[in-house]
Amino acid sequence: MDAFSGMSSQEICEALDRERTAHAGFQALGLSLNMARGKPAAAQLDLSSPLLTMLQAREDCFSEDGTDCRNYGVIDGIPEAKRMMAHLLDDVPENVFVFGNASLSIMHDAIARCLHFGCLGSDPWSTLPQVRFLCPVPGYDRHFAILEHFGIEMLPVPMTDEGPDMDVVEQAVSSDATVKGIWCVPKYSNPTGVTYSNETVRRLAQMRCAADDFRIFWDNAYGVHHLYGPGKQDALLDIGVACREAGAPDRYLKFASTSKITFPGAGVAAMATSPANRDEAKRLCGAQMIGHDKLNQLRHARFLPDAQTIAAHMAAHADIMRPKFQLVEHILSEELGGLGIATWTDPRGGYFVSFDGLPGTAKRTVELAREAGVILTSAGATWPYGEDPRDANIRIAPTMPTLDELERALAVFCCCVRIAALEVMAERA
Amino acid sequence: MDAFSGMSSQEICEALDRERTAHAGFQALGLSLNMARGKPAAAQLDLSSPLLTMLQAREDCFSEDGTDCRNYGVIDGIPEAKRMMAHLLDDVPENVFVFGNASLSIMHDAIARCLHFGCLGSDPWSTLPQVRFLCPVPGYDRHFAILEHFGIEMLPVPMTDEGPDMDVVEQAVSSDATVKGIWCVPKYSNPTGVTYSNETVRRLAQMRCAADDFRIFWDNAYGVHHLYGPGKQDALLDIGVACREAGAPDRYLKFASTSKITFPGAGVAAMATSPANRDEAKRLCGAQMIGHDKLNQLRHARFLPDAQTIAAHMAAHADIMRPKFQLVEHILSEELGGLGIATWTDPRGGYFVSFDGLPGTAKRTVELAREAGVILTSAGATWPYGEDPRDANIRIAPTMPTLDELERALAVFCCCVRIAALEVMAERA
């Protein structure tokens, strides 16, 4: 296919007719396909079936320190669960606080604690006239939803190939004490797939913040979620190490979970942070909980006892996921390459492909796809308040469908991208 | 033993000597016994061993509506878990919102939502100059801890044999719009064992509240936790029914969990409330969570599929617990009966015996017991801010020790009660 840019009005009309006929054909198929959420496929879930029978009798229910995991207690997690989550958090077990099944809840509650109680003696954020957060864009909609929920103003920061644009970040945090935090998905970022460079991590740790209680919310959701083998895996500098070296040891809160390692609905999540932050969280959480599900912690710790086991398990995930990401790259290149109407990422890990169409086409593309039975993440979802100012970005989540379903969904998607682009071009012509 | 009240100074001194000798004897035994927390005994936990193997393979992991419980989603619980929790909450499944393993967290978060967002359009409680809660005393220390955590002022209300003194409650809520809620453990109350009478429930539903958004926090933690069989079981009028009949359908939030039914550390908890409250909670919780552990919901729903199964399971618990409560009643009667220095409850369900010694003796009794190797709930814990103004109430939790351990612990306890009483009498004499 030729580049769309050189088309005459006549050619645009003809191309639009052809694509609309194709779209009508897709509609007639009555498809029902979903590329909306970063959910593991059933085949990936099957990899963790041994978890189901990891504990079979009362004798299996005791942690290595003798705790009866069936009963109450142990607010911050059993020792072997701390050790397992430390692998995912690039940290030592002592700094790990194990929670329930959702890192989203940990992050929500961490922000709620900042609002109610401040951080290590600072004023509660809810008592301040304004609180702002930096939000690298495109980013994760559920991060943005937490801030919107609590009325925290979101300031978008552009993502680069090395993470958030640090010139913008440094300018914002140094000049404005209402800027209290930043969301980061530092490895295989949602949705761009970018891993923060060492320089980005160091600058985040070293930057001068007008707010003493500035916090980096470090959602390392994809820390071990490589699509390729050693040699083609990204590495991330630990924010904890960088913050300690920079003399800002309490600046970060790291989060991780087994949601996309074992069972998303029944995993284990954890936070790692400085001893001061950890002790404050433990004290404040004492009013909220007695302890999380220790049996599930024990199941997980026995299923994934060390870094080697985790790596082997993630390689099995990658074997299922990699062909899907390769198919996305292949079909998008075939169907949209060289047209000058779209760019997209080809990540080495994580769960998403970030797609940019022509300005003003994302909402229309998602609408057209929906009409043809393909559900995509809402256009705008990757921006604060659901408002992508260019209406260009779409997050593609290729993991849940089978390869066959994905192929059909992508064919529909590419057709919709071309229609939306041609419509915009027709208006301009 | 004769009543202590008629003793001369000389007799008090002699008795004190005897008791202190006995206490020294207990100390020499090097005991390590715990009657502090309402924890099920290991034998009770063993009753739920089938839970461990309830789900064995991928085919077992689908809920009745076809949901793959391993994956993300279903914020308010799978259908069969709603049905199970509805039995515990005396409600219909539609009104049930299933959460994670801890009703304490649900209650904490419900209050946090009131503070941040108000209730059904009312002003957020955190924006008000003052918020107060009524706290029936003696009551549950973790309820009080949530309020203290959030800076909500606690107003004690005396418990009667029919629940909180409703004259006091009605007076407080009708005259003071800062009174926003009341804690209730309505059945086999912690620690008194009292079940609210129908009249108490109806008065709570019907009372005129100065605060439109007054909420009854109805922690039905012991709804099916009978110690005896049919005919000797308390019945509780449902607060939901009473509130609807009274024209105050949104006044209540009911809570329950399987913590003292299956595994305290790995159970399922839920809230039931009016459709309006439920929908608001569901909307606000959307920022905090994607869904709780549905595999554990499924395990529980299959283990306890109906009211009959639950009742049979609780009868097996009762068979283990009842001898312990009977032993408490027997030993306290033998060792303290007729002395005029103590009263205590003999509950028909729940987890506690509420004990009242002479004023000014509770702290001392707990201290003496600790010195002899017996850990009791801290004196004062049953009162807001840990301050029992009479220093008289002690919560006895007899479930965790074995019968043999309990017998020894109670012998120590009674000795300590007598010493503390004699010391107070010696001071007065």
Side-chain angles (χ1 to χ4, degrees):
Chain A
M1 242 177 265
D2 291 335
F4 278 24
S5 54
M7 281 183 170
S8 68
S9 292
Q10 175 70 17
E11 286 169 329
I12 291 172
C13 281
E14 288 168 9
L16 207 41
D17 277 348
R18 281 195 306 276
E19 297 293 350
R20 282 178 175 157
T21 301
H23 187 259
F26 287 126
Q27 280 183 292
L29 295 176
L31 301 174
S32 176
L33 302 166
N34 195 311
M35 293 196 296
R37 300 301 315 180
K39 292 170 81 164
Q44 292 176 256
L45 303 179
D46 292 346
L47 297 174
S48 298
S49 287
L51 263 184
L52 295 170
T53 49
M54 199 55 61
L55 308 178
Q56 306 228 30
R58 76 183 305 278
E59 308 83 72
D60 302 330
C61 297
F62 294 80
S63 69
E64 63 189 31
D65 65 357
T67 301
D68 187 340
C69 292
R70 301 172 301 174
N71 221 325
Y72 287 112
V74 193
I75 190 170
D76 56 348
I78 58 174
E80 49 268 70
K82 287 189 181 185
R83 209 160 53 229
M84 173 188 69
M85 295 309 295
H87 291 306
L88 304 182
L89 287 157
D90 282 334
D91 216 312
V92 293
E94 299 74 52
N95 292 343
V96 173
F97 192 144
V98 186
F99 288 76
N101 74 320
S103 58
L104 187 74
S105 298
I106 313 180
M107 296 185 268
H108 169 283
D109 291 0
I111 290 184
R113 288 194 298 273
C114 293
L115 286 162
H116 271 300
F117 302 105
C119 306
L120 303 177
S122 73
D123 288 335
W125 294 359
S126 62
T127 64
L128 306 175
Q130 183 148 43
V131 178
R132 293 190 173 98
F133 251 62
L134 302 180
C135 296
V137 287
Y140 178 35
D141 56 350
R142 291 190 189 274
H143 286 168
F144 304 153
I146 291 172
L147 299 179
E148 191 169 358
H149 175 74
F150 285 127
I152 294 174
E153 189 187 341
M154 295 181 258
L155 305 175
V157 174
M159 280 290 283
T160 73
D161 288 347
E162 301 199 14
D165 184 327
M166 284 307 300
D167 293 340
V168 176
V169 170
E170 285 165 349
Q171 170 62 26
V173 300
S174 66
S175 63
D176 184 352
T178 71
V179 176
K180 291 291 196 181
I182 183 171
W183 280 119
C184 298
V185 183
K187 195 165 177 183
Y188 303 134
S189 185
N190 176 352
T192 64
V194 164
T195 297
Y196 291 17
S197 69
N198 290 354
E199 192 198 342
T200 296
V201 177
R202 288 206 184 90
R203 286 174 73 178
L204 283 165
Q206 290 164 356
M207 64 192 184
R208 217 200 115 265
C209 297
D212 284 340
D213 55 354
F214 182 90
R215 288 291 180 271
I216 298 167
F217 284 74
W218 196 254
D219 183 3
N220 202 2
Y222 309 106
V224 293
H225 301 60
H226 311 286
L227 286 169
Y228 300 93
K232 220 187 153 188
Q233 297 182 346
D234 290 0
L236 175 70
L237 182 62
D238 177 45
I239 188 70
V241 168
C243 283
R244 281 191 294 279
E245 285 178 3
D250 302 316
R251 181 175 285 182
Y252 69 95
L253 302 167
K254 297 192 279 190
F255 307 94
S257 80
T258 66
S259 291
K260 293 186 179 85
I261 298 175
T262 61
F263 299 140
V268 174
M271 175 172 78
T273 184
S274 67
N277 286 333
R278 179 204 60 201
D279 291 348
E280 182 177 54
K282 197 167 162 178
R283 181 174 55 77
L284 293 173
C285 287
Q288 187 183 21
M289 63 188 75
I290 298 171
H292 289 98
D293 187 336
K294 295 185 297 297
L295 287 181
N296 208 35
Q297 291 178 18
L298 197 55
R299 276 186 201 102
H300 276 77
R302 291 190 180 161
F303 182 51
L304 300 170
D306 51 43
Q308 289 71 26
T309 313
I310 294 171
H313 183 73
M314 295 314 292
H317 276 286
D319 288 342
I320 298 169
M321 294 168 67
R322 191 171 48 246
K324 297 180 181 179
F325 280 85
Q326 290 173 330
L327 185 66
V328 173
E329 173 59 26
H330 176 72
I331 293 181
L332 295 186
S333 295
E334 285 278 312
E335 298 231 11
L336 302 173
L339 298 186
I341 60 170
T343 59
W344 58 89
T345 58
D346 182 17
R348 308 212 291 185
Y351 263 67
F352 303 104
V353 170
S354 183
F355 178 94
D356 281 291
L358 293 184
T361 63
K363 282 205 176 85
R364 178 65 177 146
T365 301
V366 171
E367 181 195 4
L368 286 163
R370 188 182 47 74
E371 289 171 6
V374 174
I375 304 301
L376 296 163
T377 309
S378 303
T382 54
W383 279 71
Y385 311 106
E387 290 293 337
D388 174 2
R390 297 176 65 244
D391 185 27
N393 187 251
I394 295 173
R395 187 183 77 168
I396 297 176
T399 54
M400 183 75 172
T402 63
L403 269 174
D404 187 50
E405 290 168 339
L406 185 62
E407 185 167 5
R408 280 179 288 158
L410 288 165
V412 172
F413 174 70
C414 290
C415 173
C416 298
V417 169
R418 288 191 298 262
I419 292 174
L422 289 163
E423 286 175 348
V424 163
M425 291 161 61
E427 269 176 44
R428 275 196 231 134
Chain B
M1 242 178 263
D2 289 335
F4 278 24
S5 53
M7 281 184 170
S8 66
S9 294
Q10 175 71 18
E11 286 168 330
I12 290 171
C13 282
E14 286 168 10
L16 206 41
D17 277 349
R18 279 195 307 275
E19 296 292 350
R20 282 177 175 158
T21 302
H23 187 258
F26 287 127
Q27 279 183 295
L29 295 176
L31 301 174
S32 176
L33 302 166
N34 194 312
M35 293 196 297
R37 302 298 317 177
K39 293 171 80 164
Q44 292 176 257
L45 303 178
D46 292 347
L47 298 174
S48 298
S49 287
L51 262 185
L52 295 170
T53 49
M54 198 55 61
L55 308 177
Q56 305 229 29
R58 76 182 307 277
E59 308 84 71
D60 302 330
C61 297
F62 294 80
S63 69
E64 63 189 31
D65 64 359
T67 301
D68 187 339
C69 292
R70 300 172 301 175
N71 222 325
Y72 287 112
V74 193
I75 190 170
D76 56 348
I78 57 175
E80 48 268 71
K82 287 189 180 185
R83 211 161 51 228
M84 174 188 70
M85 294 309 295
H87 290 307
L88 304 182
L89 287 156
D90 283 333
D91 216 312
V92 294
E94 299 74 52
N95 292 343
V96 173
F97 192 145
V98 186
F99 288 76
N101 74 321
S103 58
L104 187 73
S105 297
I106 313 179
M107 295 186 269
H108 169 281
D109 291 0
I111 289 183
R113 288 194 298 274
C114 293
L115 286 162
H116 271 299
F117 302 105
C119 306
L120 303 178
S122 73
D123 289 334
W125 295 358
S126 63
T127 64
L128 306 175
Q130 183 148 42
V131 178
R132 293 189 172 99
F133 251 63
L134 302 180
C135 297
V137 286
Y140 178 34
D141 55 351
R142 292 189 188 274
H143 286 168
F144 303 153
I146 291 173
L147 299 179
E148 192 168 0
H149 176 73
F150 285 126
I152 294 173
E153 188 187 341
M154 295 182 258
L155 305 175
V157 174
M159 281 290 283
T160 74
D161 289 347
E162 303 199 11
D165 184 326
M166 285 308 299
D167 293 338
V168 175
V169 171
E170 286 166 347
Q171 170 62 26
V173 300
S174 66
S175 62
D176 184 352
T178 71
V179 175
K180 290 291 197 181
I182 183 170
W183 279 121
C184 299
V185 182
K187 195 165 175 182
Y188 302 134
S189 185
N190 178 350
T192 62
V194 163
T195 296
Y196 291 16
S197 68
N198 290 356
E199 191 197 343
T200 297
V201 177
R202 289 208 183 90
R203 285 175 74 179
L204 283 165
Q206 291 164 354
M207 63 192 183
R208 216 198 116 268
C209 297
D212 284 341
D213 55 355
F214 182 90
R215 288 290 181 272
I216 298 168
F217 284 74
W218 195 254
D219 183 3
N220 201 1
Y222 308 105
V224 293
H225 300 61
H226 310 285
L227 285 169
Y228 299 93
K232 218 185 155 189
Q233 297 182 347
D234 290 359
L236 175 69
L237 183 62
D238 177 45
I239 189 70
V241 168
C243 283
R244 281 192 293 280
E245 285 178 2
D250 302 316
R251 181 174 285 181
Y252 69 95
L253 301 168
K254 297 192 280 190
F255 307 95
S257 80
T258 66
S259 290
K260 293 186 179 86
I261 297 175
T262 61
F263 299 141
V268 174
M271 174 171 79
T273 183
S274 68
N277 286 333
R278 178 203 62 202
D279 291 349
E280 182 177 54
K282 197 167 163 180
R283 181 173 57 76
L284 293 173
C285 286
Q288 187 183 21
M289 64 187 75
I290 298 171
H292 289 97
D293 187 336
K294 295 185 295 299
L295 287 181
N296 210 33
Q297 291 177 18
L298 197 55
R299 277 186 200 102
H300 276 77
R302 290 188 181 162
F303 181 51
L304 300 171
D306 52 42
Q308 288 72 26
T309 313
I310 294 171
H313 183 73
M314 295 314 293
H317 275 286
D319 287 342
I320 298 169
M321 294 169 66
R322 192 171 47 247
K324 296 179 182 179
F325 281 85
Q326 291 174 330
L327 185 66
V328 173
E329 173 60 27
H330 176 71
I331 294 181
L332 295 187
S333 294
E334 285 280 310
E335 298 232 10
L336 302 174
L339 298 186
I341 61 170
T343 59
W344 57 89
T345 58
D346 183 15
R348 308 212 290 184
Y351 264 66
F352 303 103
V353 169
S354 183
F355 178 93
D356 282 292
L358 292 184
T361 63
K363 283 204 175 87
R364 178 66 177 145
T365 300
V366 171
E367 182 195 4
L368 285 163
R370 188 182 47 72
E371 289 171 7
V374 174
I375 304 301
L376 296 162
T377 308
S378 302
T382 53
W383 278 71
Y385 311 106
E387 290 295 336
D388 174 2
R390 296 176 66 242
D391 185 27
N393 187 251
I394 294 173
R395 185 182 78 166
I396 297 175
T399 55
M400 184 76 172
T402 62
L403 270 174
D404 187 51
E405 290 168 341
L406 186 63
E407 184 167 6
R408 280 178 291 156
L410 287 166
V412 172
F413 174 72
C414 290
C415 172
C416 298
V417 169
R418 288 190 299 262
I419 292 174
L422 289 163
E423 286 176 349
V424 162
M425 290 162 61
E427 268 176 45
R428 275 197 231 131

